[in-house]
Amino acid sequence: MSPAFGGCSANAVSAEGGLAPIAELRSQRFAIPRYKNQVDGAVMDKIVIDGGIRLKGNIEVSGAKNAALPILAATLLTDKKCVIKNVPNLRDVSTMLKILRSLGIRCWMSDHEVIIEPKTLKNCVASYKLVSTMRASICVLGPLLAKYKQARVSMPGGCIIGQRPVDLHIKGLKSLGAAIKIEHGYIVAAAKKLRGANIFLGGAYGSSVLATANVLMCACLAHGRTLIENAACEPEIVDLAVFLNKMGAKIKGQGTPSITVDGVKCLEGATHSVIPDRIEAGTHILASAITGGQLIVQKAKIEHLSALVDKLDQVGVKVKAYKNGDIHVKRKGKVLKPVDITTLPYPGFPTDMQAQMMSLLALGDGISVLTEKIFPDRFMHVSELNRMGADIFLEGASAIVKGVKRLSGAEVMASDLRASAALVLAGLVAKGRTEISRIYHLDRGYERIEEKLAKVGARIQRVKEI
Ligand code: UD1
């Protein structure tokens, strides 16, 4: 097996372009991001924002990245054609499609629809080159093992938001009967026969989303019944289970900490539309709140946003869903009240919203404490927000946020996906110009964010970095 993997070169900086004068920026059409080049690392763009505009209008949410990725991996469980709709056009999605292609599978994406014909699989190897660019690649491990009884998937390694162990993935798959060893940086898994088992999937920080996804997918083709306890309850896991059941799996209890899977002999092809992205929706809600605007967030599910909506109510931001599904966001008054938040697995406050919420609370009328219980080191955005005038200091896994009257535009650097979104939010309200570099992180998880925000009034532009 010698797959020909497409390479992701180092992040080269484009030599052309540069910052346009502000008047020119305002009059320019907003260019569509060049996802292909960004995937290849050939272009490193930056976002330029002139803050201070109250956002107003309708903004649409794309499909959920974190649901689409395991669902695309789950198509490995069948030989039959699958059609996945409402797939966001993101760098992480194209990385997952590259992985599927590197396994020999034919897949196409056009207009948010992915068609996959999995019967042409040629090997079971997910290389370091691809896995190292996106941790979610690990969710090909469970399906490959289930269907082909073997898998060789690169260890994802750590990342900027902290240690990212895979012990729960390995524990779960071993319980199903797989022999697993770590060899030359790869997780090498094999099984003669997979058998259902009772598996407790809790780790030091609670449940694991992708470990639940991996074990769930693998258990679908195992012999007999599997009970996953302390399973992740995230809506993305529910969406994956819905897709698997459409393929003929027998899963019950998704959305609760106890999931039961009765193994079946084979799975069929299926068509599925991915749920809306709750983290993107939450980010737009905060864009409205932080600018004192009045956004209507469309195509989102308010029921996936309860923890955020509750905290925003305490802060002084009204978030209301109407019968047609539209979510209206409006500040109750001028003052943003401070609030304490602890990130927790769903339905608790999502770690993926912590950075963006910090931008809002940086302008609160008092002290807020944000505590990370999922990724204790996920605070890379703090120093960048402080460069914009915020007053935040870290104490262990907590950020003490002393509200300030205003933020001021600055040159800042995006360190990871949600940190990038936090800087965009801060830039939208800051006085003057904010320039955010290394925004390839943003392109991993937000589809055309600058276009969507520009349409509701933001003075935001993507430009090539000099
Ligand atoms: C997923 C999401 C990510 C989100 C995270 C937590 C995707 C593609 N990504 O990541 O956006 O921030 O959930 O909601 O869905 N852990 C272990 N051992 C393991 C696996 C995880 O100890 O084997 C720990 C992690 O270090 C972390 C906690 O469990 O402290 C939760 O992580 P996990 O839910 O696994 O995150 P991901 O599934 O990788």
Side-chain angles (χ1 to χ4, degrees):
M1 292 187 219
S2 56
F5 295 110
C8 289
S9 65
N11 303 308
V13 180
S14 164
E16 6 160 0
L19 283 186
I22 192 65
E24 210 177 296
L25 279 180
R26 283 187 191 133
S27 66
Q28 276 173 15
R29 270 190 66 233
F30 294 102
I32 292 172
R34 296 190 290 157
Y35 291 104
K36 185 176 179 302
N37 287 344
Q38 281 153 12
V39 171
D40 294 335
V43 172
M44 207 152 81
D45 296 344
K46 73 174 155 184
I47 292 273
V48 179
I49 306 171
D50 287 311
I53 303 288
R54 288 168 192 257
L55 304 186
K56 204 167 178 190
N58 299 350
I59 192 158
E60 274 188 12
V61 174
S62 300
K65 166 181 89 74
N66 288 354
L69 296 174
I71 285 172
L72 290 171
T75 63
L76 288 166
L77 289 163
T78 180
D79 289 332
K80 306 282 168 55
K81 178 175 157 182
C82 293
V83 181
I84 315 297
K85 300 179 181 196
N86 200 31
V87 177
N89 190 0
L90 298 170
R91 195 159 66 101
D92 276 6
V93 166
S94 50
T95 303
M96 181 55 81
L97 296 181
K98 273 189 175 185
I99 289 175
L100 294 178
R101 287 188 192 111
S102 78
L103 299 171
I105 283 169
R106 297 166 64 200
C107 46
W108 304 266
M109 177 163 182
S110 86
D111 196 21
H112 301 104
E113 183 172 297
V114 176
I115 298 172
I116 300 178
E117 287 184 354
K119 67 178 173 203
T120 51
L121 188 126
K122 291 196 178 66
N123 69 74
C124 293
V125 184
S127 79
Y128 177 67
K129 256 186 185 171
L130 291 170
V131 176
S132 62
T133 64
M134 181 186 72
R135 192 188 148 78
S137 324
I138 196 173
C139 55
V140 299
L141 179 62
L144 282 175
L145 184 63
K147 178 97 168 53
Y148 301 97
K149 304 290 178 286
Q150 57 169 311
R152 200 178 150 83
V153 177
S154 172
M155 287 276 282
C159 70
I160 198 84
I161 68 173
Q163 275 188 30
R164 307 289 296 266
V166 290
D167 56 309
L168 294 174
H169 299 249
I170 292 175
K171 176 187 170 185
L173 298 175
K174 273 187 174 173
S175 303
L176 293 174
I180 300 185
K181 56 184 177 181
I182 308 297
E183 207 175 63
H184 308 300
Y186 279 74
I187 304 167
V188 183
K192 283 205 173 89
K193 187 167 184 175
L194 295 162
R195 284 199 178 79
N198 286 5
I199 305 165
F200 182 80
L201 263 192
Y205 296 97
S207 55
S208 160
V209 177
L210 290 180
T212 302
N214 253 332
V215 176
L216 179 63
M217 290 188 276
C218 194
C220 287
L221 294 181
H223 185 75
R225 175 169 287 191
T226 297
L227 172 65
I228 308 173
E229 289 190 282
N230 208 34
C233 302
E234 270 69 3
E236 294 76 20
I237 292 294
V238 176
D239 204 33
L240 171 65
V242 169
F243 174 61
L244 291 167
N245 281 342
K246 283 183 187 171
M247 295 172 87
K250 291 191 173 156
I251 302 168
K252 283 187 188 147
Q254 61 270 23
T256 78
S258 299
I259 302 181
T260 308
V261 189
D262 284 309
V264 295
K265 280 221 165 79
C266 66
L267 292 174
E268 299 297 324
T271 297
H272 183 72
S273 186
V274 172
I275 54 166
D277 196 310
R278 63 192 166 103
I279 306 302
E280 187 198 348
T283 305
H284 295 325
I285 288 172
L286 289 184
S288 184
I290 204 167
T291 61
Q294 287 186 39
L295 281 186
I296 298 171
V297 181
Q298 296 180 311
K299 295 192 179 171
K301 283 186 188 280
I302 189 96
E303 62 269 30
H304 293 166
L305 293 159
S306 304
L308 176 69
V309 171
D310 180 62
K311 286 296 172 192
L312 285 176
D313 187 52
Q314 293 171 41
V315 168
V317 179
K318 200 167 130 194
V319 180
K320 193 171 171 210
Y322 284 80
K323 271 194 182 149
N324 65 358
D326 286 358
I327 298 174
H328 291 234
V329 191
K330 202 178 165 188
R331 290 248 287 253
K332 293 180 197 167
K334 278 196 171 162
V335 174
L336 293 167
K337 293 188 201 140
V339 73
D340 294 344
I341 293 176
T342 300
T343 63
L344 289 168
Y346 189 85
F349 193 92
T351 176
D352 285 353
M353 286 303 302
Q354 177 257 110
Q356 303 91 309
M357 193 69 180
M358 194 180 292
S359 296
L360 182 76
L361 294 175
L363 292 163
D365 185 27
I367 298 175
S368 302
V369 181
L370 287 161
T371 303
E372 252 302 334
K373 289 269 184 176
I374 310 280
F375 297 113
D377 299 322
R378 190 176 202 174
F379 288 115
M380 297 298 286
H381 41 286
V382 167
S383 50
E384 299 304 290
L385 288 175
N386 282 345
R387 297 194 72 250
M388 297 178 73
D391 186 356
I392 307 167
F393 67 93
L394 288 176
E395 213 169 81
S398 294
I400 319 298
V401 185
K402 293 183 185 169
V404 294
K405 287 242 160 5
R406 66 187 60 81
L407 297 174
S408 61
E411 288 178 50
V412 287
M413 201 175 277
S415 56
D416 67 79
L417 171 53
R418 306 304 170 188
S420 318
L423 296 176
V424 169
L425 294 179
L428 288 174
V429 70
K431 194 168 164 29
R433 180 178 280 198
T434 296
E435 294 177 13
I436 309 169
S437 56
R438 301 208 173 166
I439 53 135
Y440 51 87
H441 293 292
L442 205 56
D443 295 328
R444 286 189 42 222
Y446 290 91
E447 184 175 330
R448 299 179 292 107
I449 190 168
E450 73 281 13
E451 282 182 54
K452 289 188 185 184
L453 290 172
K455 271 192 191 143
V456 290
R459 287 178 299 190
I460 181 169
Q461 172 74 285
R462 177 186 291 255
V463 296
K464 286 177 192 165
E465 199 151 33
I466 305 172

